[in-house]
Amino acid sequence: CGEILSACEFFDATARRRVLEHETGLDDPLPDSPFCVLIETSGSRAEHDREKLDDLVERLVESGLVSDGVVADTEAKATRLWRMREGISDAFTALGHVYKYDVSLPLADMYDLVDRTRRLLSEASSDDDDLVVAGYGHLGDSNLHLNVVSKSGVDLLPTLEPWIFHEVTRLRGSISAEHGLGQAKHNYLPLAKSPEAIALMRSLKDVFDPHHILNPYKFLPTTPLSQGTL
């Protein structure tokens, strides 16, 4: 159903459970699944979309790639499924001090970063109950949202950074995805771009913004990374 596909999202069981705790009026569509994939179609005929989607789910279940599936046959059911996905960020924000990472990774390695982050924090912390790590995002764009929460507000930044950016680079990903580099990641741009590429970016900015007054302190590095950091 590639020609009618309009969205392909995923979220893990940790994210699903957190949304169900935080939101009201939602049921767990697939309670025993370690992951959920949310697919939306936008073809010209609803009957055609439903036929192709039913066929896809049936073939995926038969192949063993998925264990179960549900199809939203009403607007209300579709809205509830989207609330599961769209409520994740707010659900984790309400849980405690949250660190949010927006990166791009090859599909085969996308969840590897989440597993590695869990292991890193488990080794660094004596209180596993205080920490929550979850992954979700846009499969169609190879875009992972990694959320790490400390319920008590413990400072995890020295543990997470720059380790996460090195891991993304090692996995042949990008430290910047849909939300860009901004002010939080701009000094790590050398992990993703060569000195020559960054020099070209600076020269282009100088042409259009010689006084550096447009969107200052964002995207281009302001502090060189040391060899130890690299």
Side-chain angles (χ1 to χ4, degrees):
C1 62
E3 77 278 8
I4 57 173
L5 185 68
S6 59
C8 186
E9 306 283 306
F10 94 98
F11 45 94
D12 63 16
T14 302
R16 187 183 76 246
R17 287 192 296 266
R18 178 56 197 153
V19 171
L20 291 169
E21 292 169 358
H22 183 254
E23 296 276 346
T24 58
L26 292 179
D27 298 319
D28 195 341
L30 301 167
D32 299 321
S33 300
F35 299 98
C36 288
V37 175
L38 178 62
I39 294 175
E40 183 179 72
T41 61
S42 298
S44 58
R45 288 194 303 113
E47 297 82 3
H48 176 256
D49 282 19
R50 177 61 186 264
E51 181 181 338
K52 299 207 74 171
L53 200 55
D54 285 345
D55 179 63
L56 174 65
V57 172
E58 182 179 345
R59 285 189 286 113
L60 289 174
V61 171
E62 289 177 353
S63 71
L65 188 61
V66 302
S67 59
D68 200 356
V70 296
V71 177
D73 52 7
T74 67
E75 194 72 28
K77 290 180 180 178
T79 298
R80 285 198 296 273
L81 288 177
W82 271 111
R83 280 180 60 198
M84 291 283 296
R85 166 62 182 87
E86 294 174 340
I88 295 172
S89 183
D90 287 346
F92 280 114
T93 299
L95 187 59
H97 193 107
V98 61
Y99 301 81
K100 297 175 182 283
Y101 294 94
D102 168 53
V103 299
S104 180
L105 290 162
L107 283 177
D109 301 314
M110 179 176 282
Y111 203 74
D112 189 45
L113 182 64
V114 183
D115 286 333
R116 287 175 176 270
T117 302
R118 287 196 178 109
R119 288 197 295 270
L120 173 76
L121 294 175
S122 179
E123 294 169 0
S125 173
S126 59
D127 185 5
D128 288 345
D129 291 336
D130 180 56
L131 305 178
V132 181
V133 180
Y136 60 99
H138 317 298
L139 282 179
D141 298 328
S142 297
N143 180 196
L144 172 71
H145 296 306
L146 170 65
N147 279 200
V148 179
V149 180
S150 169
K151 299 176 187 177
S152 65
V154 171
D155 184 9
L156 300 175
L157 196 62
T159 303
L160 294 171
E161 297 182 17
W163 178 85
I164 280 179
F165 304 131
H166 284 289
E167 284 297 294
V168 170
T169 302
R170 185 186 64 80
L171 292 168
R172 297 167 288 110
S174 172
I175 63 172
S176 170
E178 65 175 329
H179 297 298
L181 288 165
Q183 297 182 87
K185 294 189 284 189
H186 66 292
N187 284 328
Y188 295 103
L189 183 60
L191 291 174
K193 297 295 182 181
S194 68
E196 294 78 13
I198 294 174
L200 178 60
M201 294 176 192
R202 288 192 188 280
S203 65
L204 289 172
K205 181 174 177 61
D206 288 340
V207 170
F208 296 102
D209 181 21
H211 300 295
H212 295 183
I213 60 175
L214 302 176
N215 208 21
Y217 317 118
K218 297 180 179 68
F219 194 81
L220 290 172
T222 55
T223 302
L225 285 177
S226 67
Q227 191 62 37
T229 303
L230 284 168

